[in-house]
Amino acid sequence: MKNRILFFFAAALALASSISVHSRETAIETRFTGFYMGGAAPDFHSEYRALIQDGRLEAEATRWAEEALAAVAHFNFTPLERENLRLATPDTKAGPNVIFIRGLVSRADIKTVERWKTDVHVFLVTATLEFFDLASGEVFYTRTLAGQAPAEAAKGVRLNPEKISLYFRECLKGTILELVKRAAEHYQPGLLQGRVVSVLDSASLVINLGRVQGIYKGMTLYFYGDDSTAQPAGMLKAETPQENLSLVKVIILQGDAPRRGTAVKSFGANRLAKQKDQTRYMVAGFPVISQYVSPEFKVDPQSLGQWLHDGLSEKSDLFMLAPLLAKLDSLGSLQVEEALFHAQETYSIFGNLAQSAALGNRAYPDILIKGAVSYAEIQPYQTPGAENLILKAGVSIQFYDRKTREFLYACQHDGFRMEKLVQEGDNVLRKPDLDAGFRTLCEKVISEAAAKIAEDYRPRVLQGKVTEILPDQTLNVVMEEPGANVGDAFDMLQVVEQVQDLDGKELGPLYKTYAIARLTGNAVENRFTAAVLASDGQTPVQAGDLLRAEGKRAGEASGPLHQVSGWEIRGKVITPEYRPPAGAVMMGWLFDALLSTNKFRLLPPDFLRDDFDMAEGGLRGGYFEPRDQGEIMLEDDRVAEIFILGRLGHVDVQRKTTPFRNELKLIAGVEVVFTNAAGDTLLPPKQLALSKEEEQTKDTRSGEIVRGPIDLSPEFDDLIREVISKLVEGLF
């Protein structure tokens, strides 16, 4: 099997670089392979499926994309020669300096919004671009955009096929043009050049490029013979990037073996990345927790995950790798799909998805980002003279260390959107499009959550050293700076050799990762005891070995682990005018308030635990990239020491009525209880009640309310969140 994989690698490399580059320049070019137009139900309208049968729309989409790409100077775009209008044949003259681009339409549908005298048919198209290396399949950048185009028609009148074709084309064209524009704003392929500075064995090398220069684990690079402008002699994959050097493995050799001084290049690294020497992050799933979600909620996990990826790419300094998205098929078995679904199968030069996946189309992240829709509901909301619907949705976003599965950070965020019902008497003249409304709401909530993460999550690297190995194999370690806590997991690294550049300059020590350790006790500040939890079984621990953990949140609290364990409604006075949300929603409010104080070390609320397991399937199953059999993995088995239970104890409204107005006083009281694992209360319950005033103005003749809230549930929600925030701020 290994020989077969190497054969496909060699074939791919030969295809991508079979003709020597005549110029000594290594200008990076881009070329577009074409659009995969989708078509499988239920995300594609039947009229769209009929529209793409003859291939003309695919040819138009490709032409629109090529024209837009050609207008971007830093893409240095050259169109492919095509045997027909539909598909491009891979250009065998393309060297490794050519970045290929492919497109996918993952949704094309029509939603009808009913109005009083007309209907509005909203055309919805979602498209994706991927920038990738043809030989290795490595994806350097991905971008997705959901576009829409409204078409108004007479009430009850269906659009004819000609108009449907016209509007789908307009929507697709507008989406593609905007998609290319946004990709150009955030991605510019750049050249990385380095040299081999040490040969450890026939398959293991050290190069003078590291994380500072933009190298990350899993990144593929080409190496060259004596003429660094000729065709590559093989391909490398980065195994252990360090600050200014990297351990790499030879994965293709079709010429002379690399030696000290051999030239190494990569052509697709993003020059517009805000920072290059950072931990690699990846969105790895965005499930919907069905028990807390309205049946009308139809937003697909792929769109949710892509919105989170795009939001974090734009708003934060995190280095985002292309996302891994997962979904359940109709049989309930896990189907792990890349951001481009089956487009890889269509355009892979290896001919089928299995071979291409085995060769590795994504680099492994250091940190997994897993989102979830924690709730989505619809509430009726009355305003004077109108019946409305409020769409509410909340998301939970959590960061985990990929190797240790250690929880690092979480963000809860929610929002609402008003949808109006147009009525005449008891007849509803216009119903809102709940599907489109939830999509718009979720995109907004996720974008706001990404901005919140960019502001709040400041990752850093924690390092320490082993100072002593005790007879029972317990380790004494000292950390370089504050921030570590008992229970934290760390990679253990040992020096392999001291590395010098070709000019004799010291590049630093080359480390190998051989174990994972956990801090077990704290004697004095920055000094801990630790235990080895998993190792390669071959490397003995030595004094001076390095402990390293990435992605730790700056400003994280110290002390025992806490967890929000539940939410109860136990008050004697709970007015029927309040419809409380699900307990999971209020647990999220409490968690977010606790996290914002920086006083508590927190595990995420346990109601999300099982739902995130599905996002692990792709990484564990080897579909994503061949699993490094030597890599040491660990399941995070930490449990909370202190549990926090929230209770809603009082919700009431007091009224003072006059002929012209109602003066309302809303009151809400909340209690939090701290317990241990056995359920014993550790502290007296902490309680707080607050009030807020509202006013309803009446019509002087009819007495009906013409201004002010009628449905008080949204007002109570806001008040309860304020109570939780104030109560938590005052703890300790």
Side-chain angles (χ1 to χ4, degrees):
M1 179 64 183
K2 182 177 180 181
N3 291 335
R4 184 181 178 189
I5 291 176
L6 289 176
F7 168 78
F8 281 112
F9 259 124
L13 187 62
L15 180 60
S17 57
S18 59
I19 295 183
S20 300
V21 179
H22 297 291
S23 170
R24 299 194 65 83
E25 298 180 358
T26 54
I28 299 174
E29 304 173 22
T30 62
R31 299 182 188 175
F32 189 71
T33 61
F35 256 99
Y36 174 75
M37 303 302 289
D43 295 323
F44 294 88
H45 194 275
S46 58
E47 295 285 356
Y48 173 84
R49 296 201 297 271
L51 185 61
I52 63 176
Q53 290 301 311
D54 61 8
R56 286 185 294 176
L57 184 58
E58 186 172 343
E60 286 183 287
T62 298
R63 187 180 75 251
W64 296 329
E66 289 187 335
E67 290 173 353
L69 290 165
V72 180
H74 65 252
F75 282 163
N76 195 20
F77 180 78
T78 302
L80 285 168
E81 296 181 4
R82 301 177 185 277
E83 291 184 346
N84 56 57
L85 290 176
R86 295 190 62 193
L87 293 177
T89 55
D91 187 348
T92 57
K93 297 181 180 180
N97 61 308
V98 176
I99 306 302
F100 282 79
I101 309 165
R102 56 194 166 204
L104 167 75
V105 177
S106 57
R107 186 188 191 210
D109 204 359
I110 305 173
K111 295 295 180 183
T112 300
V113 180
E114 298 179 0
R115 292 184 175 173
W116 187 8
K117 296 182 179 180
T118 61
D119 290 336
V120 177
H121 305 284
V122 182
F123 288 74
L124 305 168
V125 171
T126 301
T128 299
L129 290 179
E130 267 197 346
F131 293 73
F132 68 103
D133 177 73
L134 186 64
S136 68
E138 180 181 354
V139 176
F140 299 114
Y141 180 80
T142 180
R143 184 78 193 204
T144 294
L145 181 66
Q148 63 181 34
E152 192 167 320
K155 187 75 174 176
V157 176
R158 296 184 60 186
L159 297 176
N160 60 44
E162 289 76 16
K163 286 190 175 181
I164 290 177
S165 173
L166 173 65
Y167 283 115
F168 263 130
R169 281 179 163 83
E170 287 184 355
C171 187
L172 178 59
K173 181 178 182 179
T175 302
I176 290 173
L177 297 182
E178 181 64 22
L179 179 59
V180 172
K181 176 185 174 183
R182 295 193 185 187
E185 291 172 350
H186 295 278
Y187 177 68
Q188 180 178 351
L191 172 65
L192 296 180
Q193 300 185 82
R195 297 278 177 175
V196 174
V197 294
S198 179
V199 178
L200 303 181
D201 55 49
S202 60
S204 301
L205 314 170
V206 182
I207 62 174
N208 59 0
L209 297 172
R211 299 172 72 91
V212 171
Q213 291 76 32
I215 303 297
Y216 49 85
K217 180 176 172 61
M219 187 176 190
T220 52
L221 305 98
Y222 295 93
F223 67 89
Y224 295 78
D226 294 333
D227 183 358
S228 63
T229 64
Q231 65 181 17
M235 188 181 291
L236 309 170
K237 177 167 284 192
E239 291 288 315
T240 310
Q242 295 170 209
E243 187 173 4
N244 290 299
L245 56 89
S246 296
L247 174 65
V248 298
K249 295 288 187 180
V250 178
I251 56 175
I252 301 176
L253 179 61
Q254 64 173 27
D256 294 335
R259 59 184 185 272
R260 181 173 164 84
T262 292
V264 175
K265 296 181 182 181
S266 173
F267 296 89
N270 188 5
R271 294 182 61 185
L272 301 182
K274 296 177 182 178
Q275 295 190 35
K276 295 183 174 63
D277 59 339
Q278 282 203 344
T279 305
R280 264 53 190 178
Y281 294 79
M282 176 185 289
V283 175
F286 210 116
V288 176
I289 303 176
S290 57
Q291 69 188 98
Y292 303 119
V293 170
S294 166
E296 285 81 6
F297 185 88
K298 306 294 184 183
V299 186
D300 59 286
Q302 287 78 16
S303 294
L304 295 166
Q306 192 70 49
W307 292 336
L308 178 57
H309 168 84
D310 292 346
L312 291 173
S313 297
E314 292 179 14
K315 295 178 172 63
S316 75
D317 291 334
L318 304 181
F319 196 107
M320 301 298 299
L321 295 175
L324 170 70
L325 304 175
K327 72 175 184 179
L328 294 174
D329 65 12
S330 58
L331 299 177
S333 61
L334 185 65
Q335 298 293 315
V336 179
E337 299 182 324
E338 301 170 0
L340 276 187
F341 313 113
H342 300 297
Q344 179 70 33
E345 184 174 0
T346 302
Y347 294 114
S348 169
I349 59 172
F350 306 112
N352 68 65
L353 186 61
Q355 294 166 0
S356 185
L359 296 174
N361 292 286
R362 297 286 194 276
Y364 266 133
D366 301 304
I367 307 298
L368 294 176
I369 304 173
K370 295 181 283 189
V373 176
S374 52
Y375 78 97
E377 60 186 20
I378 304 171
Q379 291 184 352
Y381 181 65
Q382 287 184 311
T383 57
E387 291 279 347
N388 303 294
L389 298 177
I390 292 182
L391 308 186
K392 293 185 174 182
V395 298
S396 175
I397 299 165
Q398 302 183 10
F399 288 51
Y400 287 83
D401 184 287
R402 180 183 63 83
K403 289 180 63 177
T404 67
R405 298 300 190 265
E406 182 180 354
F407 167 72
L408 300 172
Y409 171 77
C411 169
Q412 319 285 323
H413 191 66
D414 56 11
F416 70 92
R417 174 182 172 86
M418 185 81 73
E419 296 285 351
K420 294 183 178 180
L421 292 172
V422 177
Q423 293 179 284
E424 188 177 82
D426 294 332
N427 297 322
V428 177
L429 302 179
R430 182 175 69 83
K431 296 180 181 179
D433 184 345
L434 298 181
D435 185 13
F438 268 126
R439 289 185 71 87
T440 301
L441 173 60
C442 285
E443 190 169 7
K444 173 178 176 289
V445 169
I446 291 172
S447 177
E448 291 172 350
K452 186 176 178 181
I453 291 169
E455 179 69 25
D456 186 52
Y457 177 66
R458 300 293 180 184
R460 62 173 178 168
V461 175
L462 288 179
Q463 291 192 155
K465 285 189 176 181
V466 176
T467 58
E468 185 181 9
I469 305 163
L470 302 178
D472 63 356
Q473 299 304 303
T474 298
L475 310 178
N476 283 336
V477 301
V478 58
M479 305 307 297
E480 294 178 354
E481 58 182 303
N485 286 288
V486 173
D488 288 351
F490 289 80
D491 282 335
M492 295 191 68
L493 300 93
Q494 195 169 93
V495 175
V496 176
E497 66 173 32
Q498 295 290 330
V499 180
Q500 291 184 337
D501 209 338
L502 299 178
D503 59 3
K505 179 182 177 181
E506 290 289 339
L507 292 176
L510 173 67
Y511 288 97
K512 70 171 182 178
T513 301
Y514 72 94
I516 294 175
R518 175 164 289 161
L519 303 184
T520 56
N522 184 204
V524 295
E525 186 177 1
N526 294 343
R527 294 183 178 274
F528 295 83
T529 56
V532 176
L533 301 183
S535 74
D536 61 7
Q538 301 174 353
T539 307
V541 181
Q542 297 180 6
D545 285 356
L546 187 68
L547 279 73
R548 178 183 172 92
E550 299 176 344
K552 300 287 188 182
R553 175 174 174 252
E556 182 183 19
S558 60
L561 278 172
H562 296 69
Q563 187 172 44
V564 177
S565 58
W567 189 275
E568 299 175 347
I569 299 177
R570 294 180 56 178
K572 295 181 180 179
V573 179
I574 304 293
T575 176
E577 295 185 68
Y578 178 51
R579 299 184 306 276
V585 177
M586 293 184 169
M587 288 172 67
W589 294 348
L590 179 55
F591 175 88
D592 210 27
L594 291 164
L595 185 69
S596 66
T597 66
N598 288 327
K599 295 179 181 178
F600 301 90
R601 287 182 66 212
L602 290 164
L603 290 176
D606 59 5
F607 74 89
L608 296 172
R609 180 181 54 212
D610 295 337
D611 298 87
F612 281 135
D613 290 343
M614 62 181 293
E616 303 289 341
L619 292 171
R620 295 184 181 184
Y623 180 102
F624 192 69
E625 181 185 85
R627 171 68 70 193
D628 179 358
Q629 298 301 319
E631 186 173 41
I632 302 155
M633 303 291 289
L634 181 70
E635 293 296 329
D636 187 10
D637 57 359
R638 294 179 304 163
V639 296
E641 301 168 65
I642 299 176
F643 297 88
I644 305 173
L645 173 66
R647 289 175 180 157
L648 185 61
H650 187 98
V651 182
D652 199 9
V653 56
Q654 298 176 358
R655 283 183 169 84
K656 182 179 179 181
T657 302
T658 70
F660 306 105
R661 67 178 60 86
N662 294 330
E663 296 176 1
L664 310 180
K665 183 178 182 180
L666 279 59
I667 305 168
V670 171
E671 177 181 79
V672 293
V673 181
F674 292 79
T675 67
N676 59 20
D680 302 322
T681 301
L682 302 177
L683 298 167
K686 306 294 183 180
Q687 301 172 338
L688 181 66
L690 295 175
S691 64
K692 64 181 291 189
E693 295 181 353
E694 296 286 348
E695 184 176 278
Q696 297 170 332
T697 303
K698 299 179 182 179
D699 183 278
T700 55
R701 294 182 179 179
S702 66
E704 293 183 355
I705 297 171
V706 295
R707 183 179 301 170
I710 296 177
D711 187 337
L712 299 181
S713 286
E715 313 302 329
F716 275 121
D717 282 347
D718 292 341
L719 178 58
I720 291 168
R721 296 189 72 165
E722 182 183 359
V723 174
I724 292 172
S725 178
K726 296 288 187 184
L727 175 59
V728 168
E729 286 177 7
L731 292 173
F732 311 117

